[in-house]
Amino acid sequence: MEIMKLSEELIWRGFAAETTIKDPAELDIRASKKFYWGADPSADSLTIGNLAAAMMCACFVRHGYEPYLLVGGATGQIGDPKDNGERELKPLEEVEYNKVRIAEQMRRIIRNEDTVSVDNYDWFKDMKYLDFLREVGKAFSMTQLLDRQFVQNRIGEGGSGISYAEFSYTLIQGYDFLHLYREYGIDLQLCGADQFGNCSSGIHLIKRLEGATADAWSTPLVIDPVTGRKFGKSEGNAVWLASDRTSIFDFYQFWINQPDTAVENLMKIYTLYNKDEVEAIMAQQEKNPELRVAQKKLAVGVTEVVHGKEAAEAVTNLSERLFAGNLGELASDEIVEFGEYLAKGQIGSRLFDLLVETGLCASKNEARKLISAGAISVNGVKAADDVAVDQVALLKRGKNKFAVVM
C-alpha cells in the first residue's frame, strides 16, 4: 500500500480549497504542527456539512498534527452571518447546552487523546468593550470589512441589511486566532471554504499586532449532487450527527441512497478508507453496478466514523431485515430492538401525532394525505385512519422510511 504524505492525501481526498499556503508540500515539513478548528453552538448537533471539515482535521491528526478544537460559546451568542438575513439570537441557556453537545461530537470524530478543547467565551467573558475596540477595532479599516462578500450581499441592492453585532462577528473570530496564537503558539487554522474570510481576519491581527505569520487551510463545501445545495444545510434538509435528530438508520440510508456519480468522492471525504481500498471498491462497483457495493461501503464507513463500529454493523443488519420480508411477521421484542436505531414514538399516541413526532411526516395534513394514498403502514398493514397505536409497532412510510412505537 502506498503511504501518502499529508499534502498528497489532502488533495486526493478533496480537502483543498482556498489557502494562504503557496505549496501544499509545506504542510509535510511545517515546523509548527498545531492547528485549530472551530464550530459555533448554533444548534445542539453538527451536520454532515461540518463533518467534512472534521474529517479534514482528522487527516491532519493522522499525519502528526496536534488538534485544538474550539467551541464558540461567545461567537455562538451572535451567530455566524448568513448571506440572506439576520440570525435569530439563541437564548443563553440554549447556547450553553449546545456547547456541551457540540464539543463532545468534535472530540469523538477527531479521535485523538491529546486533543485540547477550548471555548472562546473563556477569554471574552471578562473583556471590556473599549479594550476590544482599542486592540482589535483599530487594527481593521472599514474598507477591509465592507469588501467582505457576506457584507456586500447584505448591504447591496436587494439586501436585507446587517446588524452591528453580525458585522462584528469576523473581528471576534479573528481575535480567537490571535488569542490561540499568543496562548498556545497555534499558527494554522482549518476551516470550511465559507469561513476563509473570517480566518483571514485572524491572520491579519497576528501580523499586525504580533508581527508574525499565520496560515489558513480550507476545504471545499460539499454540494448535494441531487439538490445542488450545500450538504448539511438546516433549511429542511439537514442530516445531523446526533442520533436524536437524525436516527442512525436514517443516517445510514442517506448514504446508501447516494447516486453512482457522487459515491467515490463521498467515500474519500467521509470515510477512513485509503486509496487502495477506494480503488478496489470502485472496481467492484464498475463490474457489478446493480449490487451498489460502493454505496453500501460508503454507508458503513461514514456510520462507523460518527456512531461507532457496533452501531454501523447493527444498522446494516437492521436495513437488511427491514427490506427482506413481511413486516407483519416481526415480533414485538424485535421491533423494540430496532428502537435504538430508528426514530421513536410513544405507545398510546394517535397515528397522526406519531407520524409527525417521528419525522415520517412534516405535518398532520401531510399524514392525512399519505394515509389516503396508502403510503403509511403499521406492522405491515396499510393504515386507514388516525387510530390510537396502543402496542409496540413498526411504522413505515413509502419504501424506505421507518419508525417504531414503543
Side-chain angles (χ1 to χ4, degrees), residues 124 127-137 171-172:
F124 276 110
M127 180 175 286
K128 296 179 179 178
Y129 181 62
L130 289 178
D131 292 339
F132 183 77
L133 289 181
R134 285 178 65 86
E135 181 171 30
V136 180
L171 303 186
I172 300 174

Side-chain angles (χ1 to χ4, degrees), residues 122-371:
D122 291 339
W123 52 85
F124 276 110
K125 62 184 177 182
D126 297 322
M127 180 175 286
K128 296 179 179 178
Y129 181 62
L130 289 178
D131 292 339
F132 183 77
L133 289 181
R134 285 178 65 86
E135 181 171 30
V136 180
K138 288 291 284 184
F140 286 86
S141 73
M142 287 298 294
T143 304
Q144 282 177 288
L145 300 176
L146 289 170
D147 281 344
R148 296 290 170 86
Q149 188 59 53
F150 79 90
V151 176
Q152 291 293 317
N153 292 341
R154 294 278 288 275
I155 67 174
E157 186 176 348
S160 61
I162 187 169
S163 68
Y164 179 71
E166 288 197 6
F167 182 76
S168 302
Y169 182 95
T170 190
L171 303 186
I172 300 174
Q173 187 172 322
Y175 184 83
D176 287 342
F177 201 172
L178 175 65
H179 175 85
L180 293 173
Y181 174 83
R182 288 170 169 173
E183 191 73 15
Y184 301 104
I186 298 170
D187 61 359
L188 175 64
Q189 182 177 356
L190 305 185
C191 65
D194 58 340
Q195 290 296 310
F196 189 80
N198 290 331
C199 296
S200 299
S201 295
I203 293 169
H204 172 77
L205 279 176
I206 290 169
K207 181 178 181 180
R208 179 82 177 263
L209 301 181
E210 298 295 320
T213 300
D215 290 301
W217 180 279
S218 68
T219 187
L221 301 180
V222 183
I223 302 301
D224 189 316
V226 177
T227 66
R229 293 183 292 185
K230 290 187 289 187
F231 258 19
K233 289 287 283 183
S234 57
E235 288 84 357
N237 73 321
V239 179
W240 303 91
L241 306 193
S243 60
D244 57 354
R245 275 184 168 265
T246 297
S247 73
I248 300 177
F249 176 82
D250 288 341
F251 185 85
Y252 177 90
Q253 288 297 315
F254 173 83
W255 299 104
I256 211 166
N257 287 313
Q258 290 301 311
D260 291 346
T261 52
V263 68
E264 181 176 3
N265 286 337
L266 293 176
M267 271 195 290
K268 292 176 182 179
I269 295 167
Y270 287 106
T271 77
L272 297 176
Y273 303 141
N274 61 40
K275 187 171 185 288
D276 290 344
E277 289 170 322
V278 170
E279 288 177 351
I281 292 167
M282 292 312 299
Q284 293 180 59
Q285 180 86 347
E286 187 174 346
K287 188 175 181 181
N288 299 108
E290 70 281 359
L291 298 180
R292 295 177 65 79
V293 172
Q295 281 86 350
K296 292 174 184 177
K297 287 287 190 180
L298 170 65
V300 170
V302 189
T303 305
E304 187 172 321
V305 165
V306 175
H307 297 292
K309 187 173 183 178
E310 183 178 336
E313 291 175 351
V315 78
T316 301
N317 293 332
L318 171 59
S319 182
E320 292 173 356
R321 290 167 71 185
L322 288 176
F323 294 117
N326 189 351
L327 300 180
E329 296 176 355
L330 293 171
S332 293
D333 57 348
E334 289 183 279
I335 296 174
V336 170
E337 273 184 51
F338 300 164
E340 187 173 353
Y341 307 104
L342 295 172
K344 294 180 284 295
Q346 182 71 40
I347 286 180
S349 302
R350 300 196 70 81
L351 182 56
F352 283 7
D353 293 326
L354 287 167
L355 291 170
V356 175
E357 179 187 349
T358 57
L360 292 185
C361 295
S363 65
K364 289 185 180 181
N365 187 45
E366 184 184 31
R368 184 179 294 107
K369 290 179 180 178
L370 289 173
I371 287 174

